[in-house]
Amino acid sequence: MPRLLFIPLFFVALISQAAPPKIDAVYPAGGKIGTENDVVFVGKCDPWPCEFWASDSGVKFVPDEKRERVGKIVLEKKTKPGPFWFRFLNAEGTSEPRLFFAGTLPEVVEDAKLEHGAVLEGQPVTEKLPLVVNGRLEKKNEADFFKVTAKKGDVLHIALDGYSLRSPIDPMLHVYDADGARLALQHDGPVNLDPRLKFPIPADGEYTLGVLAIGHPTNANVFLQGSTASVYRLHLALDEKALPAHLKPAPLPVSPQPNAPYTAPFEVVSVLGKPRTPNRVLVSAKKGDSFLAKVEAYSLGFETDPVLRIFKPDGALLRETDDVKPNRDSEYLVKISADGEYGIEVADRYGRAGENLKYRLTVGERKPDFTVTADKHSYAVKAGETVEVKLKIARINGHVVPLELVVPKILGIDVELPKEIPNKTADVIIKLKAKADAKAFNKSIQIKLRESEGDAKLVKTIDFSLQDAAARGPFLIDEISDLWLTIIPKPAPKKEEKPDDKKEKADAKAKK
């Protein structure tokens, strides 16, 4: 009997001492909607199986009871196409949110038994395109190769998700002919480190696609990156339309170009048609007016690295602006000092031209706005203690409307809000105080910041941003609004032994 009691008490002790799960990657990193996908997780999750959470209600997880960090991610038919967040959690807290992609294309997984590393020994892709190949650069200096058969006149669209899955890689794509001669190389893509390549097939035959990567963030020791967390998804199609939306430019039709000057507000979608030749429009404005000129290209998936130039009615340059963080798009607030026609030019930083050098120019009113971000994606608090949620509030374009925080009611938590929210960019703190008798809690919460005055009140859900100083462009998703809160209750008091129990134990010891 004592032995039977010892086992559960032992595991209770393990649970209370376990650290929050740490998940660095999942492999494969995606699957087709309506399927069950065998996956393995990279990291730690004790005691196994940990509880699983996904931001899409159509996603379920079935753990392997015998093998740790192994199981099936089930993508029910109601799962929304695209990326979603998932977490693992235990009594001590939650893992960092990680990405998994719910796709609509057929999916295959890299054959780990094959010797990847030689161009002519690539894995044959025999399934009909379009499809997705899930792979992993598992070892240092590893390169993966895949063979595709195509016909002259075909255009092979190749797009890779690696960095955008938050893998620690800066990937490259190579294309080789049947003799192993390299025909094409693509490194960075139009929006981040993940490459995209449009390859016209020059002749009927077999072509080899190579996936290689250096590490990200980079360091002084440059070599081909390889690790169990270096996962990727390679999309192959003969029609660009078959690719997921995030891997192709926004479908924007080019606007007609009138000869007369524009009057704000307006929007123009155009293409840079001649090398080293900017596009130009005129805007009729009056003294005292102001308008925000904004060029979007990078954020829409186009290759253009736009430069915006504003000219006065006399032809003098008023302003030239390039990148506006966190991307390579451009904008400028123009304050009109004299009546007349102002010139707005859009150019590519490198003087390029072509059908992919598209952009959208909007000229209109500068609207006041605000942003808010949390300092962490998850918070853990012990019963009787307090945790702080630090928020960074940024007022944009002269926003001064009073703001108020809305925190959901959580059983066992007293919320202390800041006395006031400044009418300027500032940091504020929410204090979550767990009562001494607070019960266990391990769920996502959403906190909102909203305008408290006005007719059309702006409301923002507070996000945690995964973008940091090392980021080189957007991920599949950059923010998570499902912040996590874990309440760790006080351990149950130990049962005191009665005097009779103590006497029985002493007698038994004496007999031994």
Side-chain angles (χ1 to χ4, degrees):
M1 188 71 174
R3 186 177 179 183
L4 292 175
L5 286 172
F6 174 78
I7 294 174
L9 287 174
F10 173 74
F11 280 107
V12 168
L14 279 181
I15 292 172
S16 64
Q17 295 174 5
K22 184 180 185 300
I23 299 298
D24 298 317
V26 56
Y27 178 69
K32 184 178 181 181
I33 294 173
T35 65
E36 297 183 0
N37 302 272
D38 292 316
V39 293
V40 58
F41 299 94
V42 180
K44 294 182 179 180
C45 192
D46 297 321
W48 183 260
C50 292
E51 190 176 346
F52 179 87
W53 171 90
S55 58
D56 191 310
S57 61
V59 179
K60 301 292 184 290
F61 177 64
V62 181
D64 188 313
E65 299 289 346
K66 296 181 179 179
R67 295 181 296 168
E68 292 188 5
R69 301 182 305 280
V70 175
K72 295 179 183 293
I73 288 183
V74 182
L75 303 177
E76 298 178 349
K77 290 184 178 180
K78 67 177 182 178
T79 306
K80 296 178 182 177
F84 61 83
W85 293 115
F86 73 87
R87 296 178 184 263
F88 276 110
L89 44 141
N90 62 17
E92 298 298 313
T94 180
S95 65
E96 183 172 329
R98 289 293 171 184
L99 290 166
F100 194 86
F101 197 94
T104 58
L105 297 178
E107 306 238 352
V108 297
V109 178
E110 171 192 7
D111 188 348
K113 296 179 182 179
L114 291 179
E115 286 291 334
H116 289 265
V119 174
L120 299 181
E121 297 175 0
Q123 176 178 336
V125 178
T126 57
E127 295 81 359
K128 184 179 179 181
L129 304 186
L131 57 75
V132 182
V133 179
N134 289 281
R136 174 163 60 173
L137 298 168
E138 195 166 357
K139 300 176 182 178
K140 183 178 178 180
N141 291 324
E142 180 176 326
D144 290 349
F145 297 98
F146 304 95
K147 294 182 179 181
V148 176
T149 301
K151 296 181 179 180
K152 181 179 180 179
D154 288 343
V155 177
L156 183 59
H157 297 270
I158 315 166
L160 188 140
D161 281 331
Y163 163 87
S164 58
L165 291 166
R166 302 187 63 234
S167 290
I169 57 175
D170 179 356
M172 294 168 275
L173 286 174
H174 294 192
V175 180
Y176 304 88
D177 65 15
D179 296 324
R182 190 171 67 192
L183 304 178
L185 163 64
Q186 184 66 42
H187 198 171
D188 297 348
V191 299
N192 57 24
L193 296 179
D194 287 336
R196 304 179 195 175
L197 182 60
K198 184 185 296 185
F199 180 70
I201 301 299
D204 293 1
E206 189 176 69
Y207 295 84
T208 299
L209 314 178
V211 178
L212 307 85
I214 58 175
H216 173 76
T218 55
N219 56 53
N221 299 317
V222 178
F223 54 84
L224 292 182
Q225 168 72 8
S227 70
T228 53
S230 299
V231 299
Y232 63 86
R233 286 169 57 78
L234 180 66
H235 297 76
L236 305 176
L238 296 176
D239 184 348
E240 188 178 39
K241 295 179 181 178
L243 296 175
H246 74 282
L247 292 173
K248 51 192 176 185
L252 297 177
V254 175
S255 309
Q257 303 292 319
N259 294 323
Y262 288 91
T263 302
F266 66 89
E267 176 182 299
V268 174
V269 177
S270 192
V271 174
L272 294 168
K274 297 180 180 180
R276 295 175 294 281
T277 304
N279 288 353
R280 184 182 180 97
V281 298
L282 294 176
V283 182
S284 182
K286 295 182 179 180
K287 182 178 180 179
D289 290 346
S290 65
F291 58 79
L292 182 69
K294 183 176 182 179
V295 184
E296 299 166 282
Y298 173 92
S299 57
L300 298 174
F302 300 120
E303 297 179 11
T304 320
D305 187 351
V307 177
L308 175 67
R309 301 187 184 100
I310 312 294
F311 294 88
K312 297 179 180 180
D314 63 2
L317 179 65
L318 174 64
R319 181 76 175 188
E320 176 178 316
T321 181
D322 195 348
D323 300 351
V324 176
K325 293 181 179 180
N327 58 46
R328 293 196 292 264
D329 290 341
S330 305
E331 64 178 53
Y332 182 66
L333 177 64
V334 184
K335 297 180 179 180
I336 304 302
S337 58
D339 295 358
E341 294 178 357
Y342 288 74
I344 300 180
E345 279 190 359
V346 178
D348 177 70
R349 169 54 62 192
Y350 306 103
R352 298 170 298 172
E355 61 178 6
N356 291 326
L357 276 295
K358 189 183 284 189
Y359 63 88
R360 177 169 64 192
L361 169 67
T362 54
V363 176
E365 180 185 0
R366 180 186 69 164
K367 295 182 179 181
D369 198 359
F370 65 90
T371 62
V372 56
T373 55
D375 65 325
K376 297 179 182 178
H377 60 78
S378 62
Y379 303 87
V381 59
K382 294 180 179 179
E385 299 183 5
T386 299
V387 66
E388 293 184 347
V389 180
K390 298 179 182 179
L391 306 178
K392 182 175 289 296
I393 300 173
R395 304 269 192 166
I396 302 171
N397 297 334
H399 187 279
V400 293
V401 177
L403 298 171
E404 61 182 2
L405 286 159
V406 181
V407 182
K409 292 183 178 180
I410 303 165
L411 187 65
I413 290 287
D414 291 326
V415 179
E416 182 181 316
L417 298 176
K419 293 181 179 179
E420 65 175 355
I421 297 176
N423 62 0
K424 60 182 180 180
T425 295
D427 295 341
V428 301
I429 293 176
I430 300 173
K431 293 184 179 181
L432 303 179
K433 300 180 178 180
K435 296 178 181 179
D437 59 351
K439 306 298 183 184
F441 182 92
N442 216 6
K443 296 181 180 179
S444 65
I445 61 172
Q446 289 193 340
I447 303 174
K448 298 182 184 295
L449 182 65
R450 67 187 182 191
E451 293 179 339
S452 58
E453 296 180 2
D455 296 328
K457 296 183 177 68
L458 285 175
V459 180
K460 301 287 181 73
T461 301
I462 295 171
D463 297 322
F464 171 77
S465 175
L466 278 295
Q467 289 280 312
D468 57 22
R472 293 285 304 279
F475 305 120
L476 289 177
I477 314 176
D478 287 331
E479 303 89 16
I480 183 168
S481 59
D482 290 291
L483 306 180
W484 204 267
L485 178 64
T486 303
I487 301 176
I488 304 171
K490 289 185 177 179
K494 293 182 179 179
K495 185 178 178 181
E496 292 187 9
E497 291 183 311
K498 297 178 181 179
D500 292 343
D501 295 334
K502 291 181 179 179
K503 186 176 182 301
E504 288 180 7
K505 286 185 179 181
D507 292 344
K509 187 175 180 180
K511 289 179 180 180
K512 288 183 180 180

